[in-house]
Amino acid sequence: IIYKIGVQNLGYGPGLYDLLKKYNIGADIHLIVNNPVEYLQKINAKSFSIPIRASMHVESGEKFSDFINTAEWLGIIPGLAFKLKTSIPKDFQKYIDFKYFHLVCNDEESGILAFQDEIFEKISNLRNVKKHEQTITIDCGVKKEHIAPGIKGGVNYFVMGSAIFKNSNPFKFIKAAPDIGIFSAKKN
């Protein structure tokens, strides 16, 4: 699910929700807005029986503590998203209270919408500075061939929107997910 300026709500129907529920896979809400706390307050996580995660972009300018406190009060797992070209700072202390990190693997600002392999260096840098319990999600252009190097690098979750929904048979693709390593990547 994406909340983005100009895209108020992009979601998928009950069939996808039922499949996520069946496999106990949570929903990941990526807030690509300048005021993520305002959008976060519109989410009723308690009405879902699956885990709900929401990430704000570090570039949004929102106070991290406001986002984290609001998310936790709403029963939402707070995450922090980094664009591909945003560097991971060595002084990581101010990000330590986020439960996961959402890394964008393309460069929309340069018009490069395909997956960029330079994300693997960013994953390595992030693994060197984060707390052990925090997880890493990669998103934007992720395909089957990115799963194995992602798992090896320490990625815990893969967002595969286009790979699934542009597939001729998305439900068959999702059901085959254990065979390509998607569910095994959920380990910490």
Side-chain angles (χ1 to χ4, degrees):
I1 301 171
I2 302 170
Y3 276 96
K4 184 176 183 176
I5 297 171
V7 180
Q8 292 304 309
N9 185 354
L10 175 63
Y12 299 96
L16 177 61
Y17 176 75
D18 291 343
L19 197 56
L20 294 174
K21 193 169 144 182
K22 177 180 178 180
Y23 290 103
N24 194 30
I25 300 172
D28 196 326
I29 301 169
H30 190 125
L31 299 169
I32 312 171
V33 293
N34 291 329
N35 50 346
V37 170
E38 179 183 327
Y39 284 87
L40 190 64
Q41 292 169 338
K42 297 178 182 182
I43 302 165
N44 182 2
K46 294 174 175 92
S47 68
F48 294 97
S49 61
I50 59 174
I52 304 294
R53 302 178 341 143
S55 60
M56 66 171 274
H57 270 269
V58 67
E59 302 88 358
S60 74
E62 188 78 67
K63 283 180 62 177
F64 297 152
S65 60
D66 290 349
F67 185 84
I68 292 167
N69 291 337
T70 302
E72 290 177 346
W73 183 78
L74 292 169
I76 297 169
I77 302 163
L80 185 63
F82 291 88
K83 291 181 180 179
L84 183 66
K85 299 297 182 185
T86 302
S87 61
I88 305 290
K90 298 291 183 210
D91 175 20
F92 203 70
Q93 216 39 46
K94 63 183 175 181
Y95 305 133
I96 212 75
D97 292 327
F98 285 96
K99 304 298 184 211
Y100 73 102
F101 299 102
H102 188 119
L103 304 179
V104 176
C105 302
N106 66 11
D107 188 7
E108 276 187 12
E109 293 174 7
S110 299
I112 302 171
L113 301 180
F115 185 95
Q116 300 297 297
D117 287 335
E118 68 188 84
I119 198 67
F120 293 117
E121 182 179 336
K122 182 170 269 189
I123 292 164
S124 176
N125 293 339
L126 189 55
R127 280 278 168 226
N128 290 330
V129 295
K130 71 169 206 62
K131 290 191 316 189
H132 179 69
E133 336 44 268
Q134 294 163 319
T135 60
I136 295 176
T137 297
I138 62 172
D139 187 4
C140 297
V142 178
K143 294 183 173 62
K144 286 195 300 190
E145 60 266 23
H146 302 123
I147 302 295
I151 291 171
K152 183 178 179 185
V155 175
N156 305 91
Y157 297 93
F158 300 86
V159 177
M160 300 179 73
S162 296
I164 295 170
F165 296 105
K166 289 185 178 179
N167 190 294
S168 61
N169 190 336
F171 287 104
K172 183 178 178 183
F173 182 91
I174 292 170
K175 287 178 182 178
D179 296 332
I180 60 172
I182 293 174
F183 296 127
S184 64
K186 289 176 61 177
K187 67 181 181 352
N188 282 337

